[in-house]
């Protein structure tokens, strides 16, 4: 199987799985490939949106179920959690809308939000909106690089 066939066969699944965690590198790489003509631009955006929303919902419900004790298992997560929680207490909606744009806090923030007792429907709606913006903006930026590289 050629590289192009691998990308076409597994590219969208890899994007969705990769964006569950810190997905900027995965999404930017996929967007560059879309700009070069290897993947479809809408396919990359939709894959990133699905993976990002699903991952954040999983982390949110993990935080809702297991609380802050989940974060205490990792010293690096615990340090980030303290920072995020203090900001979250003052700016809940803004944190939910913007956390995915701050590298390094993406996996920890939904856990804190879940532990903080935010209603799942509120988180879901804000999460989908934010994930859509993130997927669209990061993909379009990477697409431009791919278009220049492939063109």
């Amino acid at each position: 199987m050629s590289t192009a066939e691998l990308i076409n066969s597994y590219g969208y699944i890899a994007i969705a799985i990769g964006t569950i965690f810190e997905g900027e590198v995965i999404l930017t790489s996929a967007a560059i490939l879309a700009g070069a003509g290897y993947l479809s631009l809408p396919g990359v955006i939709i894959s990133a949106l699905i993976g990002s929303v699903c991952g954040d919902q999983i982390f949110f419900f993990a935080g809702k179920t297991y609380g802050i004790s989940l974060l205490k298992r990792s010293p690096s997560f615990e340090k980030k959690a303290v920072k995020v929680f203090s900001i979250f207490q003052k700016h809940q909606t803004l944190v939910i809308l913007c956390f995915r744009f701050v590298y390094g806090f993406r996996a920890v923030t939904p856990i804190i939000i879940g532990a903080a007792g935010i209603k799942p429907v509120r988180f879901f709606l804000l999460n989908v909106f934010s994930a859509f913006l993130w997927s669209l903006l990061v993909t379009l930026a990477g697409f431009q690089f791919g278009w220049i590289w492939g063109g």
Side-chain angles (χ1 to χ4, degrees), residues 22-123:
E22 301 290 344
E24 289 82 5
V25 173
I26 295 289
L27 183 53
T28 303
S29 300
I32 290 169
L33 290 171
Y38 292 100
L39 296 168
S40 102
L41 182 63
V44 171
I45 294 168
I46 291 167
S47 297
L49 175 64
I50 291 169
S52 184
V53 168
C54 289
D56 294 336
Q57 290 301 129
I58 290 167
F59 291 132
F60 172 81
F61 283 109
K64 195 159 195 61
T65 304
Y66 301 107
I68 300 297
S69 65
L70 186 64
L71 296 169
K72 290 187 177 189
R73 295 181 183 177
S74 167
S76 66
F77 273 6
E78 190 173 7
K79 287 178 188 176
K80 291 176 186 178
V82 170
K83 290 178 187 176
V84 172
F85 193 71
S86 68
I87 296 169
F88 184 71
Q89 288 177 325
K90 297 174 189 169
H91 309 285
Q92 290 183 1
T93 300
L94 188 62
V95 169
I96 295 170
L97 290 175
C98 297
F99 74 87
R100 76 184 69 253
F101 292 95
V102 181
Y103 185 78
F105 288 89
R106 176 122 180 259
V108 117
T109 305
I111 295 170
I112 295 163
I113 295 168
I118 298 300
K119 292 183 180 182
V121 172
R122 179 173 181 231
F123 178 74

Side-chain angles (χ1 to χ4, degrees), residues 12-23:
Y12 302 108
I13 294 168
I15 295 165
I17 292 169
T19 55
I20 289 174
F21 302 99
E22 301 290 344

